[in-house]
Amino acid sequence: MTMGPALTLPRLVFGPGKLAALRDELAWLGCRRPLLISDRGLEKAGLVAQVMEAAPAIIATFLDVPENPTAEGCDLAAQACLDGVCDSIIALGGGSVIDTAKLVAALIPSGLPQAADLIGHTDLIDDNVLPLIAIPTTLGTGSESSPVSAMHLVPGGPTYGVRSARLVPRLALCDPDLARSLPPRLIAATGIDALSHCIEGYFANPGNPIIDALALDGIARVTDAIHDAVKPEGDAARMSLMAAAYAGGVAIHKGLGPAHAIAVSCADQHLHHGTAVAIALPHTTRLLSTHVPAKAAKVRRAMGLLPDTDLGGAISAVIEALGMPETLSAAGYVVRDKDALLADVVASHFNRSSPYAPTIDEYRAILDRISG
């Protein structure tokens, strides 16, 4: 019997109003001098102030995380951590913030001078990683439960990943009230990102019954809730999407697939990751469904579809109804060198965990369709 990947999960505190539990959770974890990492948008929205009020122990802040995580941002946050003699980190935000915080938590005890030095040296990430509390404010990244962090060595440059079970946050505090200020376009983009994590994580090899069950539940939740989640009165739907996002982060423990091979290869022009994934996902899932029909059948059931439904078409319909772009050009992305982009996609490590890696000709056909 093939064993699935080892699964390390954070302690989970979930539900509306659960931010109020932060003070007690910090005490339970023994965090006496936490650094708060967030961004200026969440400061402007008042969420930073809410967290500061909920956790008086916070002694330092770093609020300059860029829209996409960079090595420089990680290094600056690490310096703030050192200057404050902080013993733990609270990450308030989406994937960029939480990914930055993961790298800072690993960098401080590693002895390495820069976050970029962690690339290819995950053996230096040990049990001395600083305790990390992740408080997601978006509905799709899954970074609060995943073992991966991503960064750009230069803004707009290629994305580099760092993967270690020790990067999983110690605590995930998921309070859907914190997502109320999220614009509908970001609810849609991050929600589809969660769907992609669940679908590709479910398809990924080797199987894992616990992860697979969570992934299928996440698929059902996104399908059922995403259209209501973009509405002002959609609190219950947003809570369900937050649960799906967590499930998607768990699915990442298995690995992802060709939609992410495309999306990450298109990370050089500030295209939102969830939007890039949404453009690729219908086409790559249609291809996977022909090669792994048994799993595709379970994805259809989770989405409430009839057995003979075109899975790619059904995903396209969800994305179209949300008003999201269906091509890279419609999203503002310019394919400057299709051959170079194709080479990056084919070489992506995401192909290794997929049950079927598209051929170069299949990837070329997909890129032709989505370039616009």
Side-chain angles (χ1 to χ4, degrees), residues 231-304:
K231 301 174 183 177
E233 67 276 14
D235 284 348
R238 286 188 286 273
M239 182 167 69
S240 194
L241 276 193
M242 187 164 273
Y246 183 93
V250 176
I252 291 172
H253 284 257
K254 284 178 63 185
L256 295 170
H260 278 80
I262 293 172
V264 171
S265 297
C266 293
D268 60 326
Q269 296 178 35
H270 304 288
L271 174 62
H272 187 279
H273 174 72
T275 301
V277 167
I279 291 167
L281 187 65
H283 306 280
T284 58
T285 306
R286 178 180 291 115
L287 182 61
L288 286 180
S289 69
T290 66
H291 290 275
V292 196
K295 283 194 170 184
K298 290 189 177 181
V299 173
R300 288 189 188 92
R301 284 200 290 273
M303 293 182 68

Side-chain angles (χ1 to χ4, degrees), residues 17-236:
K18 288 300 184 181
L19 181 61
L22 180 57
R23 183 200 302 251
D24 289 343
E25 292 295 328
L26 288 171
W28 185 79
L29 289 170
C31 302
R32 295 179 176 83
R33 297 177 61 85
L35 167 72
L36 173 63
I37 296 179
S38 192
D39 62 47
R40 295 297 176 182
L42 293 176
E43 180 188 36
K44 184 177 180 180
L47 298 188
V48 168
Q50 288 184 44
V51 172
M52 296 284 287
E53 183 179 354
I58 293 170
I59 61 157
T61 62
F62 179 81
L63 306 179
D64 291 316
V65 175
E67 184 176 355
N68 290 303
T70 62
E72 180 185 21
C74 293
D75 293 340
L76 291 171
Q79 190 59 53
C81 190
L82 290 170
D83 291 345
V85 196
C86 300
D87 65 358
S88 51
I89 299 172
I90 299 170
L92 171 73
S96 293
V97 168
I98 300 174
D99 281 5
T100 296
K102 285 179 174 180
L103 293 173
V104 173
L107 180 64
I108 295 295
S110 73
L112 296 171
Q114 297 178 318
D117 296 324
L118 288 168
I119 298 171
H121 294 285
T122 53
D123 55 304
L124 297 178
I125 302 176
D126 58 25
D127 291 337
N128 294 314
V129 168
L130 296 184
L132 172 60
I133 296 87
I135 307 177
T137 59
T138 62
L139 301 171
T141 173
S143 191
E144 67 274 9
S145 54
S146 85
V148 232
S149 181
M151 67 174 156
H152 301 259
L153 295 184
V154 294
T159 303
Y160 292 88
V162 179
R163 182 186 182 99
S164 169
R166 294 184 176 95
L167 290 179
V168 176
R170 196 75 59 84
L171 168 72
L173 196 158
C174 300
D175 184 339
D177 290 347
L178 301 178
R180 280 181 175 162
S181 62
L182 199 64
R185 65 178 181 84
L186 288 181
I187 292 175
T190 57
I192 295 299
D193 195 21
L195 179 64
S196 74
H197 294 157
C198 290
I199 288 177
E200 293 203 315
Y202 174 66
F203 273 112
N205 287 328
N208 181 303
I210 303 303
I211 296 176
D212 291 347
L214 285 171
L216 288 171
D217 180 74
I219 292 167
R221 286 179 180 276
V222 176
T223 306
D224 181 62
I226 195 165
H227 298 296
D228 287 335
V230 299
K231 301 174 183 177
E233 67 276 14
D235 284 348

